[in-house]
Amino acid sequence: MVNPLIRKLENFTRLSGQDKHLLSEFLHEGIRHLGPREDIIREGERPQSVNLVLSGWACRYKYLEDGRRQIIAFLVPGDLCDNNFFLLRQMDHSIGALTPISIAQIPRHRIEEVSLHHPRVAQALSWEALTSMAIQREWTVSLGQRDAQERLAHLLCELYLRLRAVGLTDGTSCELPLRQAELADALGLSTVHVNRTLQELRASQLIMLKGKTLTIPDLNALRSVAQFTPTYLHLEHEGRHLDANE
Amino acid sequence: MVNPLIRKLENFTRLSGQDKHLLSEFLHEGIRHLGPREDIIREGERPQSVNLVLSGWACRYKYLEDGRRQIIAFLVPGDLCDNNFFLLRQMDHSIGALTPISIAQIPRHRIEEVSLHHPRVAQALSWEALTSMAIQREWTVSLGQRDAQERLAHLLCELYLRLRAVGLTDGTSCELPLRQAELADALGLSTVHVNRTLQELRASQLIMLKGKTLTIPDLNALRSVAQFTPTYLHLEHEGRHLDANE
DNA sequence: CATCCACAATAACCCATGTTAAGGCAGCTT
DNA sequence: AAGCTGCCTTAACATGGGTTATTGTGGATG
């Protein structure tokens, strides 16, 4: 298994052998394995290191006092959970595993060392932070303006492209190890309505979803339902252009 | 007028005289004055510098094809509009002025220089980026889970505390130069419903809002309506604790 | 000082989505 | 193989908030 972070960063820039070596050393410091519903880090804790998802899915989430839960972000292989968060006194949200997951714990000093002495890698890590902000902004747009069908279709497009960027798609399919309740908490909808909306997308032949496998037979069709524009993922660098259907 | 960025960063850390000197030099490079509805930077452009709000209000926003608009963030004095965005090929959203506004254009090389040679200032700028991400996450929670009254109350608490952090409150009052249509686009509600909800908050004596002045006679009361917890603003550093009513 | 104009305030009606409740089904467990 | 258990599906009904339309209001302008 190649370090999915390297794979992801190569969507932004070419990395030298030395850069990759540096990044692959991130893995040697301590790998944790967690099961579904276990927390990687919890609201209120003080983060001391940076967690990198190697395999499996996780999510940021926050509970309100009365039990409502919002899933704030999904984290897939190659995603950094909390880059730079050690600057803060405490986590303002929790991060939990959704599937069995393995994560590398990267000690703070390694990150700081890289950002001091390896500007190219530091830049790539900044790019990863910028795209995760861009994704958060796009979620704001979805939750504020898009209706249920657009919102769901938009999320599925995003997840498919993010997985493709780290080599985790297979033709027109990818894993989608989420329960409808988790989709609901991410989309700000009820589980019942997520179910209805999935039925609609299925009926329109826009998606197939059996078990934990999602198939998008015609990505452009789904994109147009969602008004999805992939720009915000910032996956194309100079001279390289993404064909969303490729 | 003191550089509001310095004022803001001092909520995170103590800055030396030299640090402050460095930061105040950010202002000398080019100050732009824009009127309401003028854009600071537009979706699709390639950012070449970093914009700092000195006075006035701005917002990030994005239009969907059919004219729906989401306001993604409000920017008040001391906020950096697009720190590090020059790493990206293009803006994935626009930033526009809401009031007459003055902004400093900080050239890319100044920022890079600081992050290479002045780690304390670089850390402070990272902190500012981390808090703006935290605010974005909290907006995700609001849009996904909170009903209209909670959402509005939450936003007002947030804005009041952010303004207080840069010295722009006066007792229990602050400026709120937003039209109801802008609140609506930020909250994912219709203008009609924003109006209804403002009436409710007024009727409950939770806020007073005449002209462009907002008064929150009892911040804790408004906080409890919103289930507002200020942690995510990360305004208290070691040894210093915020009294939300102070 | 009359007229605009942008914005705020209300009212009447409607619909997308929430809520509650009741099956259904597949994969474990004993 | 019977019975759980967790999740998906569906139905009936309720409601928060949207839509459309009209009126009010205060500050700018000729």
Side-chain angles (χ1 to χ4, degrees):
Chain A
M1 177 191 61
V2 169
N3 181 337
L5 177 58
I6 294 177
R7 177 99 190 223
K8 182 175 171 188
L9 297 184
E10 282 184 318
N11 284 288
F12 166 64
T13 191
R14 283 192 68 83
L15 296 167
S16 71
Q18 197 204 2
D19 291 340
K20 291 189 204 177
H21 180 69
L22 247 163
L23 287 164
S24 66
E25 280 188 335
F26 281 178
L27 302 200
H28 299 326
E29 205 72 46
I31 293 185
R32 282 198 292 167
H33 297 274
L34 297 177
R37 291 160 211 264
E38 287 188 87
D39 281 326
I40 294 169
I41 187 167
R42 204 167 277 143
E43 187 171 347
E45 287 179 32
R46 173 162 208 155
Q48 302 291 353
S49 52
V50 174
N51 292 293
L52 164 62
V53 179
L54 297 175
S55 68
W57 286 46
C59 69
R60 298 179 198 289
Y61 67 90
K62 204 163 180 172
Y63 276 100
L64 302 189
E65 289 160 21
D66 54 6
R68 283 174 282 177
R69 174 175 78 152
Q70 178 66 30
I71 289 182
I72 298 165
F74 288 118
L75 299 167
V76 301
D79 286 340
L80 290 167
C81 299
D82 37 22
N83 196 5
N84 267 338
F85 281 18
F86 45 71
L87 291 177
L88 301 176
R89 262 184 70 221
Q90 55 175 312
M91 288 294 290
D92 54 53
H93 64 281
S94 303
I95 305 179
L98 292 167
T99 68
I101 192 174
S102 57
I103 56 186
Q105 258 186 306
I106 308 165
R108 172 175 182 169
H109 72 264
R110 269 204 189 283
I111 299 281
E112 288 175 326
E113 186 185 286
V114 163
S115 67
L116 276 176
H117 304 302
H118 304 275
R120 185 163 202 84
V121 179
Q123 268 201 359
L125 293 178
S126 291
W127 168 81
E128 120 86 23
L130 288 170
T131 60
S132 85
M133 283 194 64
I135 291 169
Q136 201 69 56
R137 285 193 296 267
E138 197 63 36
W139 280 41
T140 304
V141 175
S142 277
L143 288 167
Q145 301 300 327
R146 297 196 240 259
D147 69 23
Q149 185 166 342
E150 294 168 322
R151 226 182 275 180
L152 179 54
H154 199 281
L155 177 63
L156 296 179
C157 288
E158 174 188 304
L159 290 172
Y160 176 80
L161 289 183
R162 285 170 60 190
L163 290 171
R164 201 177 65 175
V166 288
L168 291 176
T169 51
D170 176 15
T172 58
S173 298
C174 65
E175 293 277 296
L176 189 81
L178 300 175
R179 292 172 299 149
Q180 295 184 356
E182 287 154 349
L183 284 171
D185 286 346
L187 296 169
L189 299 168
S190 65
T191 51
V192 173
H193 203 59
V194 165
N195 187 286
R196 287 196 272 249
T197 310
L198 280 171
Q199 305 301 342
E200 283 172 37
L201 292 181
R202 279 196 265 242
S204 321
Q205 312 285 342
L206 289 164
I207 63 168
M208 288 149 59
L209 183 57
K210 7 178 168 114
K212 308 251 159 265
T213 301
L214 168 70
T215 303
I216 304 176
D218 179 353
L219 184 54
N220 280 331
L222 190 62
R223 281 179 55 187
S224 86
V225 164
Q227 296 197 28
F228 181 91
T229 315
T231 324
Y232 74 98
L233 296 172
H234 299 284
L235 287 172
E236 25 185 316
H237 55 250
E238 323 293 338
R240 172 156 164 279
H241 290 270
L242 265 191
D243 171 1
N245 253 343
E246 160 200 341
Chain B
M1 177 191 62
V2 169
N3 180 335
L5 177 60
I6 294 177
R7 176 99 192 222
K8 183 176 170 187
L9 297 184
E10 283 183 317
N11 284 287
F12 166 65
T13 189
R14 284 192 69 83
L15 296 168
S16 71
Q18 197 204 3
D19 291 340
K20 291 189 206 178
H21 180 69
L22 248 163
L23 288 165
S24 65
E25 280 187 335
F26 281 178
L27 301 200
H28 300 326
E29 206 72 45
I31 292 185
R32 283 199 291 167
H33 297 274
L34 297 178
R37 291 159 211 263
E38 286 189 89
D39 280 326
I40 295 170
I41 188 167
R42 205 167 275 143
E43 187 170 347
E45 288 179 32
R46 175 164 205 154
Q48 301 291 354
S49 52
V50 175
N51 292 294
L52 165 62
V53 179
L54 296 174
S55 68
W57 286 46
C59 69
R60 300 180 196 290
Y61 67 91
K62 204 162 181 173
Y63 277 99
L64 301 189
E65 289 160 22
D66 55 5
R68 284 173 283 177
R69 174 175 78 152
Q70 178 66 29
I71 290 182
I72 297 165
F74 288 117
L75 299 167
V76 301
D79 286 340
L80 290 167
C81 298
D82 37 22
N83 195 7
N84 267 335
F85 282 17
F86 45 71
L87 292 177
L88 301 176
R89 260 184 73 222
Q90 55 176 312
M91 288 294 291
D92 53 55
H93 64 281
S94 303
I95 305 179
L98 293 168
T99 68
I101 191 174
S102 56
I103 55 185
Q105 259 186 306
I106 308 166
R108 173 176 182 167
H109 71 263
R110 269 203 189 283
I111 297 282
E112 288 175 326
E113 187 184 286
V114 162
S115 68
L116 276 177
H117 303 302
H118 303 275
R120 186 164 200 84
V121 178
Q123 268 201 358
L125 293 177
S126 291
W127 167 80
E128 121 86 23
L130 288 171
T131 60
S132 86
M133 283 194 64
I135 290 169
Q136 202 68 56
R137 285 192 296 267
E138 197 64 34
W139 281 41
T140 305
V141 175
S142 276
L143 289 167
Q145 301 299 327
R146 296 194 240 260
D147 68 23
Q149 184 166 343
E150 294 168 323
R151 228 183 272 182
L152 179 54
H154 199 281
L155 178 63
L156 296 179
C157 287
E158 175 188 303
L159 290 172
Y160 176 79
L161 289 183
R162 286 170 60 191
L163 290 171
R164 201 177 64 176
V166 288
L168 291 176
T169 51
D170 176 15
T172 57
S173 298
C174 64
E175 292 278 297
L176 190 81
L178 300 175
R179 292 171 299 148
Q180 296 184 356
E182 287 154 349
L183 284 171
D185 285 346
L187 296 170
L189 299 169
S190 65
T191 51
V192 174
H193 203 59
V194 165
N195 187 287
R196 287 196 272 249
T197 309
L198 280 171
Q199 303 302 342
E200 283 173 38
L201 292 180
R202 281 196 262 243
S204 320
Q205 312 285 342
L206 289 165
I207 62 169
M208 287 148 61
L209 183 57
K210 11 182 165 111
K212 308 251 160 268
T213 302
L214 168 70
T215 304
I216 304 176
D218 179 354
L219 184 53
N220 281 330
L222 190 62
R223 280 180 55 188
S224 85
V225 164
Q227 296 196 28
F228 181 90
T229 315
T231 323
Y232 73 99
L233 295 172
H234 298 285
L235 286 172
E236 26 184 315
H237 55 250
E238 323 293 339
R240 174 158 163 277
H241 290 269
L242 267 190
D243 171 0
N245 252 343
E246 161 199 341

